Amino acid sequence: MKVFKYIFALMMLPLAVAVSSCSEDSNEVDEFENWEERNNAAITQWSNNSALRKIKSYTKDQMTGGTSSDYIYVEVLESGSETETESPLFSDNVWVAYRGRYIPTVSYPEGYIFDQSYEGEFDWRTADMIEFSVSGVVTGFSTALMQMHRGDRWRVYIPYHLGYGTSSSTSIRGYSNLIFDIALLDFWHPNEDHPISFKARE
C-alpha cells in the first residue's frame, strides 16, 4: 500500500508543477494585450482632447477634414523666441533632442521608452542633440518638425498610421502609437554650411 502511495505521488508531481506554472503565468501582465484596440482608443482620446493642437500630416490633403489618424496631436511644453518664425523644410537637417515612448501600460504608466537621446529630466544645457534629416524620420515626426521653431519643445502624439504602421518589421511593435518629446535646437538648409557649434539656451 505504501508503495502504491509513493508511485501515485510521483505520478501527480508533474501535474502539480504544471498547475503551479499556469498559476504563475496567469499573474504575468501582458503589456501588449489588445494592443491594436488600445492604440486606436488612444487616437480617439487624443482627437477629442481640446487641449491638444491638431496638425494634419504633410502627406494628406490639407483641404479636406480627414480622419483622426491623419493628424498628430501636440502639447507645447516650451516655446522658443517670439521673434522666431522659420521652421525646418522637408529637405533640411536638424539638431534635436528627443525621447520616444509607447502609450501607457500597466508596468509603464508613463509609457515604455523605446528610444531617447538624453537621460533623466530634459535640460537644454546638457541634453545630447542628434543630427538628422527631416525627411529621414517617420511621417508624424517630420510633420511636427516642419511646424516647430528653434527653441520649441513639444510632446507629440503620433498615430501608428503616421509612424511605423501595422507591421512589427522594425524594433517597434506593430500598431504602436508613438509619443515623442522633441526639442528643436537648430536647423539648416542643404546648401548652408554645417554649423560648427551650438549654444544651448540659458
Side-chain angles (χ1 to χ4, degrees):
M1 190 70 169
K2 290 182 180 180
V3 174
F4 176 79
K5 287 182 178 179
Y6 179 74
I7 295 173
F8 180 78
L10 286 177
M11 291 174 61
M12 293 302 293
L13 184 60
L15 180 60
V17 171
V19 170
S20 174
S21 297
C22 289
S23 177
E24 290 175 4
D25 290 344
S26 66
N27 292 329
E28 291 181 2
V29 176
D30 182 358
E31 299 291 335
F32 302 105
E33 184 178 8
N34 300 320
W35 193 236
E36 179 182 358
E37 177 183 338
R38 286 160 57 194
N39 279 272
N40 283 328
I43 297 169
T44 300
Q45 184 180 22
W46 299 341
S47 67
N48 292 330
N49 187 343
S50 60
L52 297 179
R53 177 183 170 193
K54 291 174 59 174
I55 301 175
K56 197 169 190 182
S57 168
Y58 73 89
T59 63
K60 304 297 181 180
D61 182 355
Q62 301 298 311
M63 303 303 293
T64 61
T67 65
S68 57
S69 61
D70 291 337
Y71 293 84
I72 61 171
Y73 302 89
V74 174
E75 177 185 353
V76 177
L77 303 177
E78 194 172 347
S79 295
S81 170
E82 294 181 0
T83 60
E84 182 70 51
T85 58
E86 291 187 21
S87 297
L89 302 175
F90 188 71
S91 58
D92 286 348
N93 289 332
V94 294
W95 272 96
V96 301
Y98 67 89
R99 173 173 289 153
R101 296 178 283 124
Y102 287 151
I103 62 172
T105 63
V106 174
S107 299
Y108 302 94
E110 297 298 319
Y112 174 76
I113 298 174
F114 58 81
D115 194 12
Q116 60 185 349
S117 69
Y118 62 93
E119 300 284 343
E121 294 296 319
F122 176 80
D123 188 322
W124 286 99
R125 295 165 297 181
T126 59
D128 289 332
M129 296 290 165
I130 306 298
E131 175 190 349
F132 53 77
S133 171
V134 175
S135 63
V137 290
V138 295
T139 300
F141 202 123
S142 297
T143 298
L145 287 172
M146 290 189 287
Q147 297 293 324
M148 297 178 73
H149 302 126
R150 291 179 178 90
D152 282 350
R153 187 164 66 91
W154 288 2
R155 179 161 294 160
V156 183
Y157 301 84
I158 302 175
Y160 61 84
H161 313 74
L162 304 178
Y164 291 95
T166 61
S167 173
S168 297
S169 58
T170 68
S171 59
I172 304 298
R173 191 178 184 91
Y175 297 101
S176 292
N177 296 333
L178 310 175
I179 304 172
F180 276 103
D181 288 355
I182 306 172
L184 176 62
L185 180 61
D186 209 344
F187 61 92
W188 61 96
H189 306 313
N191 60 343
E192 293 179 333
D193 292 335
H194 186 290
I196 296 173
S197 63
F198 297 90
K199 286 187 177 180
R201 292 171 49 193
E202 298 181 358

